[in-house]
Amino acid sequence: MSSLSPAVRPPRWSRPSWLTSGRVLRTEVLAGLVVALALIPEAISFSILAGVDPRVGLFASFTMAVTIAICGGRPAMISAATGAIALVVAPLVREHGLQYLIAAVVLGGLLQIVLAALGVAKLMRFIPRSVMVGFVNALAILIFWAQIPHLIGVPWLVYPLVAVALGVIWLLPRLTTAVPAPLVAIVVLTLFTVVASVTVPTVGDEGALPDSLPTFGLPDVPWTLDTLTIVAPYALGIALVGLMESLMTAKLVDDITDTHSDKTRESWGQGVANIVTGFFGGMGGCAMIGQTMINVKTSGARTRLSTFLAGVFLLILVVALGDVVALIPMAALVAVMIIVSVSTFDWHSIAPATLKRMPAGELTVMAVTVAATVATGNLAIGVVLGVLTAMVIFARRVAHLVTVTSESRGDTRVYSVHGELFFASSNDLVTQFDYAGDPAKVVVDLSGAHIWDASSVAALDAVTTKYAARGTTVEITGLNEASARMRELLAGQLQGAH
């Protein structure tokens, strides 16, 4: 009887860690519960921001979390209805209504799957560390800023309640980590406000909670080209903003947990989650970095179970236990988010010693990312502007790394070019030659250079043209294979562009 060798034997299925460890299971379950409680007021707020009923955001948070727990590429990351997606779809809801929003969410999910197949996740390698630090710091500021409305114009008792909750969350882990400190703070403050019959803002004040389960259905819109024209721009916005925030959050969790995630799987997983969410009447969503930090950093979760249970607990809490959840004081959830904000911010990045050592360009990129994100309230815009700023600074820096030296060899003048020739560095190349004073023969040695684009070929054409006008013969030597191929393809073909 034949048997498979170890080299070709199918891999064994390994049981998840939460099935083999009671401690891990307890951590994942309690983390999911804490995240679910924190999701409720945020989902309601984002629904209001998008201009839809609270149940649309709550159901979206449920379907996003449960689906991404199965399909996603970053275990323990939380996906749900988000403010960034709410900002994208709000104009669509205002002008065309809920059904067009649902159609845009489904189409956005399909676009995310297409982008995943095209390898969009690989673009993460082009995001500099300074942008990442700016992203994290801006996120922390936005999380903190979102709590301010809950602390203005409220009864005075809210402030001591927030202080007590902050104390519990900060001090309890020093005594025991058996139960997540945020959960303890939420339970303690809820029991106090109920038993003492004090009147403070509660979750129930944020909006009505649903009393039924989400139902499957297709968007009730005309299936015409006009409808596609209306929803397509918003669907593209959902796809791009959602992927950017999700991949950035996945990268952050990778750094925190010292583990690797499958960014491509996360990309198409977000698409599947949005399609499912749309078919169940949700507003769409993406990764939520605030709730992810609660799950990973504050509660210590590491597996898909916590993400799955966050969605399940959310549905149970708002549908079956809505009357109880409505009693939770907002002060407790505000305290949780303040702790998340403080722990998320990279304080080392603004320490005086760090600021003195960091190059001005890196600080500029970080500052632009933070300023743009805070000003717009959109993390995706901040990241894009940060990356663009980094590109400009990099191009300016590299542009000055091209050097041209010259020497005379008999009746020939030899110019040696060293560096990377592209649009930013090649513009100054034309001015580095002595057209009037050079002899009848000139050699341009590019052994130490590389031609990257058409701008560099055009610059070399300009050099040879200027010499030819004076009757000087120019020989260009030392081209590597790629540079020679590009020059052969484009030389003499670019003059019409001037």
Side-chain angles (χ1 to χ4, degrees):
M1 184 175 64
S2 62
S3 61
L4 291 173
S5 67
V8 297
R9 183 176 292 129
R12 278 182 151 185
W13 175 76
S14 58
R15 288 188 295 177
S17 57
W18 52 267
L19 279 179
T20 58
S21 170
R23 181 184 60 80
V24 172
L25 177 61
R26 182 179 68 250
T27 298
E28 300 296 314
V29 171
L30 294 178
L33 179 58
V34 172
V35 170
L37 291 170
L39 276 174
I40 294 171
E42 297 240 334
I44 295 173
S45 299
F46 297 148
S47 299
I48 295 171
L49 179 61
V52 297
D53 188 89
R55 71 180 61 227
V56 177
L58 289 166
F59 287 161
S61 297
F62 160 67
T63 53
M64 287 293 300
V66 169
T67 307
I68 206 66
I70 299 170
C71 300
R74 174 64 261 179
M77 190 168 77
I78 304 296
S79 290
T82 62
I85 299 299
L87 288 172
V88 170
V89 302
L92 177 62
V93 176
R94 187 166 53 248
E95 296 173 15
H96 299 282
L98 174 62
Q99 294 303 317
Y100 280 81
L101 161 63
I102 295 173
V105 170
V106 174
L107 180 57
L110 289 171
L111 289 175
Q112 287 178 324
I113 294 175
V114 172
L115 290 171
L118 294 176
V120 69
K122 296 178 182 178
L123 296 178
M124 285 299 295
R125 72 184 68 177
F126 296 109
I127 297 180
R129 181 186 178 279
S130 50
V131 173
M132 193 69 190
V133 173
F135 169 82
V136 170
N137 289 347
L139 172 72
I141 294 171
L142 288 178
I143 292 174
F144 181 83
W145 192 253
Q147 311 315 310
I148 301 300
H150 300 295
L151 298 173
I152 297 176
V154 294
W156 68 269
L157 191 57
V158 169
Y159 303 111
L161 287 177
V162 171
V164 170
L166 288 173
V168 170
I169 298 172
W170 192 261
L171 297 175
L172 185 61
R174 289 161 171 73
L175 301 176
T176 178
T177 57
V179 181
L183 180 59
V184 174
I186 292 171
V187 172
V188 169
L189 263 64
T190 303
L191 289 175
F192 171 78
T193 55
V194 171
V195 172
S197 298
V198 296
T199 302
V200 293
T202 63
V203 170
D205 297 330
E206 296 295 301
L209 299 176
D211 55 6
S212 61
L213 297 174
T215 56
F216 180 86
L218 296 176
D220 186 14
V221 296
W223 295 81
T224 63
L225 185 59
D226 288 340
T227 300
L228 179 62
T229 303
I230 292 172
V231 302
Y234 296 98
L236 183 61
I238 291 171
L240 294 178
V241 171
L243 284 180
M244 187 175 298
E245 292 212 20
S246 299
L247 294 177
M248 289 288 286
T249 304
K251 189 173 188 299
L252 180 61
V253 177
D254 289 353
D255 294 340
I256 292 173
T257 60
D258 292 324
T259 56
H260 176 72
S261 60
D262 187 337
K263 304 297 190 303
T264 298
R265 176 174 174 178
E266 182 62 36
S267 299
W268 65 256
Q270 289 289 329
V272 173
N274 272 307
I275 292 172
V276 172
T277 296
F279 285 143
F280 279 93
M283 60 179 278
C286 61
M288 295 190 74
I289 193 164
Q291 274 64 28
T292 299
M293 290 301 99
I294 293 176
N295 197 44
V296 174
K297 208 166 186 179
T298 306
S299 302
R302 292 293 184 271
T303 75
R304 298 176 186 274
L305 181 64
S306 58
T307 305
F308 181 84
L309 289 179
V312 173
F313 284 146
L314 172 65
L315 188 65
I316 294 173
L317 288 170
V318 299
V319 175
L321 301 174
D323 293 339
V324 175
V325 172
L327 298 175
I328 297 175
M330 286 302 299
L333 299 177
V334 167
V336 172
M337 297 311 293
I338 289 176
I339 291 293
V340 169
S341 172
V342 172
S343 62
T344 300
F345 197 91
D346 186 350
W347 296 100
H348 176 73
S349 67
I350 61 171
T354 303
L355 296 177
K356 288 180 181 179
R357 287 194 301 267
M358 289 290 286
E362 301 293 319
L363 295 177
T364 301
V365 171
M366 184 176 71
V368 168
T369 304
V370 172
T373 302
V374 173
T376 62
N378 191 322
L379 291 165
I381 291 177
V383 170
V384 169
L385 291 179
V387 171
L388 290 176
T389 303
M391 290 171 61
V392 171
I393 292 174
F394 175 76
R396 285 176 58 87
R397 187 180 300 159
V398 174
H400 299 295
L401 296 181
V402 174
T403 60
V404 180
T405 59
S406 65
E407 62 176 336
S408 295
R409 297 178 184 174
D411 60 351
T412 302
R413 189 73 170 175
V414 179
Y415 288 88
S416 298
V417 182
H418 297 271
E420 306 300 316
L421 297 177
F422 66 110
F423 62 89
S425 61
S426 60
N427 287 332
D428 295 333
L429 184 64
V430 180
T431 64
Q432 303 297 312
F433 299 86
D434 184 7
Y435 302 103
D438 281 341
K441 184 175 181 182
V442 170
V443 174
V444 180
D445 183 7
L446 295 177
S447 300
H450 185 96
I451 297 176
W452 287 103
D453 59 9
S455 296
S456 304
V457 177
L460 292 173
D461 283 352
V463 170
T464 57
T465 300
K466 287 180 178 292
Y467 274 121
R470 295 178 178 273
T472 302
T473 302
V474 179
E475 180 184 1
I476 296 178
T477 63
L479 290 169
N480 59 37
E481 182 179 350
S483 299
R485 187 163 54 247
M486 178 168 289
R487 184 165 185 270
E488 181 181 356
L489 179 66
L490 299 176
Q493 306 298 316
L494 304 171
Q495 296 301 318
H498 296 321

